[in-house]
């Protein structure tokens, strides 16, 4: 029988770590590969604004939550604020390496402004869906260390640190959503979350693809060649989007909860790895 709720013994621990201060980063920090670099840079460009949006969306529904969830929201906020801080630094290094992230950031701002204009529950639903996305990406990143093995070690450590905490707090937005919509029927909830997830997924794929292509263009990789290399990277090898497809689909099952799949073992392994990672400069 599925658990359908966050484990009682889960503790969400903000790990205040800093990465890559004062260090110069290779333009193609990811395996000397412009496509892999563009994919991760495009993702990182969205985090500072995106995670600030997650925080504001969840916080708005904090009042009246049970004490355990209330404490988890607090830890979630602390974690996300630190993620934003480290991605601002990471993005700075990408800018120093010659990339212009402005068009990517502008697109995030535009998307968020549309959602912000709607009732707050829509922002919470979008956050709950995007947090599932980040949790399954994080799971994949930690499950297959090869994704980051050829990356610049300091950047790999930063992405692994972020992934650990995304797994750890994966139930928070979902539980806040369950609490905020407790008066709705299961059917109504399912209809809303399905609609929002399909919408968010479409936007996520379209926007990250545009972002990746925009950065590739700055490397002089354009046209069908850029498309082909991006699609190969995301869907075939290593095929991150293909690999998370099953976990994405699970979201639509009746009785879904992010903790139906307890993947805390990945956190332990990744933490040991992180402990031996190079110290920040
Ligand atoms: Fe985060
Ligand atoms: Fe998160």
């Amino acid at each position: 029988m599925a658990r359908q709720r966050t484990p009682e013994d889960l503790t969400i621990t903000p790990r205040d770590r800093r990465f890559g201060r004062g260090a110069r980063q290779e333009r193609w920090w990811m395996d000397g590969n412009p496509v892999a670099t563009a994919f991760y840079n495009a993702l990182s460009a969205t985090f500072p604004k995106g995670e600030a949006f997650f925080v504001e969306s969840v916080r708005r529904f904090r009042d009246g939550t049970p004490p355990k969830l209330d404490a988890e929201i607090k830890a979630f906020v602390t974690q996300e604020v630190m993620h934003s801080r480290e991605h601002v630094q990471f993005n700075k290094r990408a800018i120093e390496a010659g990339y212009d992230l402005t068009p990517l950031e502008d697109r995030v701002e535009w998307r968020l402004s549309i959602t912000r204009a709607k009732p707050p529950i829509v922002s919470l639903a979008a956050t709950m869906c995007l947090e599932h996305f980040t949790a399954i990406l994080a799971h994949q990143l930690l499950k297959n260390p090869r994704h980051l093995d050829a990356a610049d070690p300091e950047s790999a450590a930063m992405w692994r640190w972020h992934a650990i905490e995304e797994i750890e707090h994966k139930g928070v937005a979902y539980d806040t959503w369950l609490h905020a919509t407790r008066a709705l029927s299961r059917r109504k909830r399912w209809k809303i979350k399905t609609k929002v997830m399909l919408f968010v997924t479409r936007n996520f794929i379209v926007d990250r693809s545009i972002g990746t292509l925009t950065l590739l263009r700055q490397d002089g990789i354009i046209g069908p060649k850029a498309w082909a290399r991006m699609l190969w990277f995301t869907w075939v090898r290593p095929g991150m989007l293909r690999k998370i497809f099953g976990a994405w689909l699970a979201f639509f099952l009746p009785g879904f909860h992010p903790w139906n799949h307890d993947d805390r073992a990945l956190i332990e392994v990744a933490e040991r790895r992180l402990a031996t990672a190079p110290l920040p400069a």
Side-chain angles (χ1 to χ4, degrees), residues 37-47 101 104 207-208 211-212 215:
T37 301
F39 175 77
Y40 284 93
N41 282 359
L43 207 52
S44 181
T46 70
F47 281 132
L101 304 182
L104 286 73
D207 290 356
R208 292 310 79 72
T212 304
L215 296 178

Side-chain angles (χ1 to χ4, degrees), residues 53-156:
F53 169 79
F54 295 170
V55 164
E56 98 193 15
S57 305
V58 169
R59 251 188 189 159
R60 238 190 246 132
F61 289 90
R62 187 174 172 186
D63 279 355
T65 51
K68 183 172 184 286
L69 179 55
D70 184 68
E72 285 171 357
I73 291 174
K74 185 168 182 266
F76 159 82
V77 168
T78 308
Q79 286 189 335
E80 295 292 34
V81 167
M82 289 193 300
H83 300 167
S84 287
R85 182 191 74 198
E86 291 313 301
H87 279 277
V88 164
Q89 292 297 325
F90 179 87
N91 295 346
K92 228 183 230 174
R93 296 196 289 281
I95 293 164
E96 280 163 12
Y99 290 110
D100 177 13
L101 304 182
T102 322
L104 286 73
E105 291 165 347
D106 289 350
R107 195 169 177 92
V108 176
E109 194 59 55
W110 168 69
R111 280 281 183 219
L112 294 180
S113 69
I114 295 172
T115 311
R116 281 187 176 118
K118 294 181 176 156
I121 193 71
V122 177
S123 292
L124 179 63
T127 299
M128 175 260 289
C129 292
L130 284 163
E131 278 286 284
H132 180 58
F133 239 103
T134 52
I136 60 181
L137 284 168
H139 176 95
Q140 183 52 229
L141 263 192
L142 298 187
K143 188 177 157 207
N144 279 328
R146 270 184 302 174
H147 283 296
L148 290 167
D149 271 353
D152 162 70
E154 190 65 12
S155 305

Side-chain angles (χ1 to χ4, degrees), residues 51 80 83 162 166 169:
E51 297 193 308
E80 295 292 34
H83 300 167
H162 193 168
E166 285 306 319
H169 74 224

Side-chain angles (χ1 to χ4, degrees), residues 6 12 58 69 72-73 76 131 168-177 259:
T6 299
I12 300 176
V58 169
L69 179 55
E72 285 171 357
I73 291 174
F76 159 82
E131 278 286 284
E168 205 170 62
H169 74 224
K170 67 178 179 172
V172 176
Y174 202 87
D175 289 343
T176 309
W177 150 263
W259 283 109

